[in-house]
Each structure stands twice: as structure tokens, then as C-alpha cells.
Amino acid sequence: MAAPALTSRAGSVNSLGNSPTATPSSTNNNKIIPSYPELDFRSGARIEDLNRLIQEFSKHDQREYDDQRALEIHTAKDFIFSMLGMVQKLDQKLPVANEYLLLSGGVREGVVDMDLDELGVYARGTDYDMDFTLLVPALKLHDRNQPVTLDMRHSALCHSWLSLRLFDEGTINKWKDCCTMVDHINGATNYFFSPTLVADWFYESISVVLVEIQKKPQRGMPRVEKVERNGTIISVILGVGSSRMLYDILPVVSFKGWPAVAQSWLMENHFWDGKITEEEVISGFYLVPACSHKGRKENEWRLSFARSEVQLKKCISASLMQAYQACKAIIIKLLSRPKAISPYHLRSMMLWACDRLPATYLSQEDFSAHFLLGLIDDLQNCLVNKMCPNYFIPQCNMLEHLSDETAMLHARKLSSVRSDPAEHLRTTIEHAKAANRLTLDLHWRGSASNLPSPQSDAGGEHQPDDRLAKKLQQLVTENPGKSISVFINPDDVTRPHFRIDDKFF
């Protein structure tokens, strides 16, 4: 990675020598030292050009929401929450008072640590316009006086089985059909909460509810364009007006507090120290339905710190986030086959970089190019060494399962990016432009036709208040990329309570 010239460095101009990355133009004994643009040593690309390309990508990758789009997002979200309220009423399995975690970006974007092998191929612009991930607790352990006991004896690091012995008899009876059973010598039966069986139940329940909803369509109701199960993830694409929203919905187990296996991480110094409180970082964690590569799919869950990552994101500079988004867009296209690397690996490396590098360096506004090149270097190094530690549980190597052949294949692909980052950025920009054009074309076709569907609101008396539109637009623009926790009462789904980080609405 090219090291940026530090103008505050002590020493005379002579200390810069004739380095091709030197920027000042001065005289030495009446001899003019030419001024060179700052270059990337490996590729020869101008740092200024790379910064400009990253800025251009960010402009096309970030979608702006007008009042209409904000209302469409709100309508789709309400529909999803109402659907989940009806799922709860089916057999009372889900908690009555539940707290969802809504993340901006789908599972394919790396917002949670899930395996992407079984996911269908969806593309922004072609299949959807906006994507979200929704974590729906099937079980909650939120009593801080209750110890968090996870059975990790049969699992790889960062994974666990979950025994229902932690719960009361009523909970066991409700969920025993979604459990695997292990009989002990003393004759007792232990029920282990099964991620695959829970996903089976969740998909069937959502399908039943959607069939019932569509039997009695209401004005203004979103169009259900696709419902698909991808492994343990239920993907729902909704059409609202001219917008298409992808929701990746995951059944999870929600915990308050912090797991013992990650306690040592709290003892280390981190980039977020002094910026946010430890209580905000360790407020809770999840078990998500994913297993290790040698684990038993029917029993093993994966620890997820998605709630903590939302808090940590507040402490990452805008220039580093821009570099991360650009790098992510490159690797999603380049390393898609075989699916050995996910954007979550890149996110973990970014967090490690934040711990490793000075905050004053990472906060430089015009260093996005250096950050992008560094992330590519870090990812290539991880592949060559088959080593990518989980940020919260460093003893867990997330690339341990990779074969030498797959690791080297991806490392060679990244080498081609590193030798010509500008060309790959240009390609990524063109992909973002094409996706935006598809979205705009769909929007204009929908506006031009102006033909209400049987599920659309044909009447004018139920048009939303303009004040609501303005409020929604304000929430969207003021909280980009933040998580939204939603408290919802299934008996009155018209009155959800939203929490965006620590704000209530």
C-alpha cells in the first residue's frame, strides 16, 4: 500500500529525496525538484484518481430517498411486522413482546456472519432496489440475573448448541417439535433447539400467513413478488409502488449480556474506547442459524455480535467506510465463485485495522484510496495465510476451512485487482450506474402507467398525511446504515415503537 506523505514530518525537503511519491516542489542549491503526483507504488495509479473514483462510486451507491420512497419503505416495513405478528398468533411460539433488529443491507452484503453458499443470486436493480436484514428472536434470554449457559462441547469455536433446559416447561412444550432429542443414562431427555427445524417451521408459518393475507387484499398493501427459502434464511421481496424491497429474515436466539467465550476481548484496548461506552457494546448478542464447516447443521448455531457491530460502526470514519463499501463491491463480483469469501470477512478486517492504526490517520478525509489499497492487501494476506480471526473471538479463524487451492485462487484474483485498482473501480461504478438505471426505469414505467393493481390504494381518502412523509424522510436521511429495533404488539400492529440506536419514536 502506498504510504501517504506526512507533511508534518520533521526534517528538510532533502529528507524526501527524489521519491516519486513526493509532493512538494522546492529548490535545493538553486536546483528545482520537480513536483510529482502521489502514486501507488504497486500499480502506478495516482492516489488522487483513486480517491476521485471512490467518491464517484459512493455517489452512485448511496440512494437518496424522496418522500414517496420513504413512504414505500415504511409501508413495506409495516407489512413485514404485521406478517410476523400474525405468525406469532398461529401457534404462540414467538414471544408476544418481541424486539427485532433491522439492519440496512441484506445478508449478501455481509451485515451478519452467515454462509452464502445456499443463497440465491439476487442483484440490485434487477431483482430489488433496497435490501434489509431482519433478526427475529424465536427465543429470548433477557434476564440479566440468569447465567448464559451455552453448550460448546460439541462445536467449533464461535458456535454452540442450545439446550432448552434453560427454559420453563411451557417453552419446552411449545418448541419440542423444533428440537433434536438426546437421551441421558438417567433416563432424562434433553431437547436441543435445532436451527434447521426452526427455519423449517418459520418458512412454513410465513408461507401460511402470506397465503391468508393475499386472500383478502387491502388497498395499499405491498405486492409479494417472491418468497424463497435460502438455507435457514427466508428471503421476501415486496413491491410497493415503484420500489422493490428485499428482506432477509432470520430466526435467532437473543441474549442480553456477553458470552464468556468473548470475555478476553473486553480486556484489550480498542479503537472505540472513550467514544462509546462498554455497556453499549456488550448490550447483547445472538445465536444465528449457521453452523461450522464440520458441525451438525441440525444442532449448531453461530454466535453473532450484530448489535455490537452497529455501535462500533458509529466510530468508523466516513473515508474508511467509503473505502470499505468500494472494496466490498469489488470482491462481491470478483470472488463470488467459489463462495469462500464473504463481505463479513472484509468487515472483520476493517475492524482489526481500526484497532491497529492510529485514529488520526484513519480520520483523514482524503485517504480513502490508501484505505482501499490497504483493505485489499489485508484480504490478500488473509487468503495467503488462510487466517482471518473473528473480531470478537480472535481465537476463531474464519478461514480455517479453506483449501489451499481455493485460497490461492482468490489470492491471485485479488492480485489482479491490486495491480490495477482504478480499472476495477471503474467497473464497479458502471455496475452501480446500471443498477440505478434499472431502478429508475422501473420507477418511470410505474409512474407512467398509473394503473392501480387490485392490491393498490385506488382511493384518495386514505392518502398519508404529508407530515408523516416528512418525518419518515428525516428518519431515513439522519440514520443511514443504523439498526432499528422494533417493539411490536401482535394484538395491535398499527402501533409499533421504533428505536434507532438509542432514540425512541
Side-chain angles (χ1 to χ4, degrees):
M1 176 179 134
L6 300 178
T7 55
S8 61
R9 181 177 176 179
S12 66
V13 174
N14 286 335
S15 66
L16 293 170
N18 291 319
S19 168
T21 59
T23 55
S25 175
S26 182
T27 59
N28 182 19
N29 297 328
N30 298 322
K31 181 180 179 181
I32 296 177
I33 300 176
S35 176
Y36 289 100
E38 190 177 5
L39 303 178
D40 169 35
F41 186 90
R42 168 77 184 280
S43 66
R46 292 170 53 137
I47 296 299
E48 179 184 3
D49 291 343
L50 295 179
N51 277 329
R52 177 181 54 78
L53 289 169
I54 293 171
Q55 290 292 331
E56 185 177 355
F57 169 77
S58 298
K59 180 183 71 174
H60 294 294
D61 187 55
Q62 293 174 354
R63 277 79 70 190
E64 294 184 0
Y65 303 141
D66 56 14
D67 287 358
Q68 183 61 34
R69 180 59 61 86
L71 282 171
E72 290 168 353
I73 293 172
H74 180 76
T75 300
K77 176 168 54 63
D78 272 0
F79 179 85
I80 292 292
F81 295 151
S82 297
M83 176 195 75
L84 292 172
M86 295 176 68
V87 168
Q88 194 281 332
K89 289 183 178 181
L90 278 181
D91 49 18
Q92 307 296 314
K93 275 184 162 66
L94 293 180
V96 174
N98 215 349
E99 182 179 351
Y100 311 139
L101 182 65
L102 180 62
L103 302 169
S104 177
V107 169
R108 294 158 189 79
E109 296 290 317
V111 295
V112 287
D113 183 14
M114 295 289 293
D115 301 318
L116 306 183
D117 303 30
E118 299 178 327
L119 288 182
V121 179
Y122 298 160
R124 187 171 73 85
T126 303
D127 302 296
Y128 63 89
D129 306 310
M130 287 157 288
D131 53 337
F132 304 91
T133 297
L134 185 64
L135 306 189
V136 179
L139 289 175
K140 297 193 303 182
L141 281 89
H142 285 191
D143 185 352
R144 290 187 177 272
N145 297 319
Q146 184 178 15
V148 176
T149 306
L150 299 175
D151 190 344
M152 298 184 172
R153 295 171 298 170
H154 312 289
S155 304
L157 276 170
C158 210
H159 296 80
S160 177
W161 292 21
L162 180 66
S163 171
L164 290 193
R165 285 184 299 179
L166 300 169
F167 298 88
D168 56 45
E169 195 67 28
T171 301
I172 294 174
N173 289 331
K174 278 196 296 188
W175 284 108
K176 65 170 52 177
D177 58 335
C178 292
C179 294
T180 59
M181 293 179 290
V182 176
D183 293 325
H184 290 284
I185 299 176
N186 61 9
T189 299
N190 197 355
Y191 294 94
F192 287 98
F193 206 42
S194 169
T196 54
L197 293 177
V198 170
D200 289 341
W201 164 82
F202 200 40
Y203 175 68
E204 291 170 4
S205 299
I206 287 176
S207 299
V208 168
V209 165
L210 289 178
V211 168
E212 288 301 313
I213 290 176
Q214 290 172 313
K215 285 180 180 177
K216 300 176 181 178
Q218 299 178 6
R219 290 180 298 181
M221 192 174 75
R223 306 177 304 276
V224 180
E225 299 192 351
K226 181 177 289 187
V227 182
E228 187 172 78
R229 178 173 173 183
N230 295 284
T232 54
I233 302 165
I234 292 84
S235 298
V236 179
I237 297 180
L238 300 177
V240 188
S242 60
S243 301
R244 297 159 299 166
M245 317 326 179
L246 167 62
Y247 274 83
D248 287 327
I249 308 175
L250 281 73
V252 300
V253 182
S254 175
F255 295 84
K256 290 293 185 186
W258 200 247
V261 69
Q263 283 294 331
S264 61
W265 177 79
L266 294 175
M267 303 297 108
E268 305 293 334
N269 294 324
H270 297 290
F271 72 97
W272 47 268
D273 293 337
K275 299 176 182 176
I276 53 177
T277 65
E278 184 174 289
E279 287 71 23
E280 290 177 285
V281 175
I282 65 171
S283 60
F285 68 100
Y286 297 96
L287 294 181
V288 297
C291 77
S292 62
H293 288 266
K294 294 183 179 179
R296 293 177 59 178
K297 286 187 175 182
E298 65 273 20
N299 283 342
E300 200 169 77
W301 298 77
R302 179 174 298 164
L303 275 74
S304 170
F305 302 91
R307 188 179 293 277
S308 302
E309 289 166 1
V310 169
Q311 300 299 324
L312 299 184
K313 190 176 177 182
K314 300 176 185 177
C315 306
I316 299 175
S317 69
S319 52
L320 178 55
M321 281 305 302
Q322 287 180 346
Y324 164 75
Q325 295 292 349
C327 190
K328 180 177 70 171
I330 291 173
I331 70 167
I332 284 177
K333 298 291 184 184
L334 189 74
L335 307 183
S336 59
R337 293 289 186 275
K339 290 184 178 178
I341 296 294
S342 86
Y344 189 81
H345 295 113
L346 184 66
R347 174 181 285 213
S348 298
M349 281 179 280
M350 177 178 65
L351 293 174
W352 282 118
C354 290
D355 275 356
R356 183 177 71 243
L357 296 166
T360 51
Y361 171 73
L362 293 175
S363 62
Q364 297 295 313
E365 292 183 0
D366 57 348
F367 277 22
S368 291
H370 298 293
F371 302 154
L372 171 67
L373 298 174
L375 288 171
I376 296 172
D377 288 340
D378 272 3
L379 184 54
Q380 192 172 16
N381 180 68
C382 287
L383 285 166
V384 169
N385 293 286
K386 292 200 304 183
M387 173 63 69
C388 181
N390 182 286
Y391 181 67
F392 299 93
I393 307 177
Q395 59 270 35
C396 172
N397 175 15
M398 297 188 292
L399 296 184
E400 186 178 22
H401 64 282
L402 277 192
S403 67
D404 292 342
E405 293 78 10
T406 300
M408 291 310 298
L409 171 65
H410 285 319
R412 284 193 293 269
K413 289 181 178 180
L414 278 177
S415 180
S416 70
V417 177
R418 190 61 183 82
S419 63
D420 194 356
E423 181 59 30
H424 285 273
L425 279 171
R426 292 187 191 99
T427 300
T428 302
I429 289 168
E430 290 306 313
H431 286 152
K433 286 181 176 178
N436 289 338
R437 282 195 298 269
L438 286 169
T439 297
L440 284 173
D441 288 346
L442 182 68
H443 174 77
W444 287 114
R445 285 201 304 269
S447 300
S449 63
N450 198 27
L451 294 175
S453 69
Q455 296 177 355
S456 67
D457 190 346
E461 67 275 16
H462 297 289
Q463 292 300 312
D465 193 321
D466 184 57
R467 289 172 299 175
L468 174 61
K470 292 179 179 178
K471 181 65 175 177
L472 289 171
Q473 184 184 22
Q474 179 184 355
L475 291 180
V476 171
T477 55
E478 289 182 354
N479 301 278
K482 293 188 178 181
S483 77
I484 302 174
S485 295
V486 181
F487 300 86
I488 191 165
N489 179 357
D491 294 320
D492 184 10
V493 297
T494 64
R495 300 183 62 189
H497 300 278
F498 306 100
R499 184 178 73 190
I500 302 177
D501 290 337
D502 54 351
K503 299 178 184 177
F504 287 84
F505 300 90

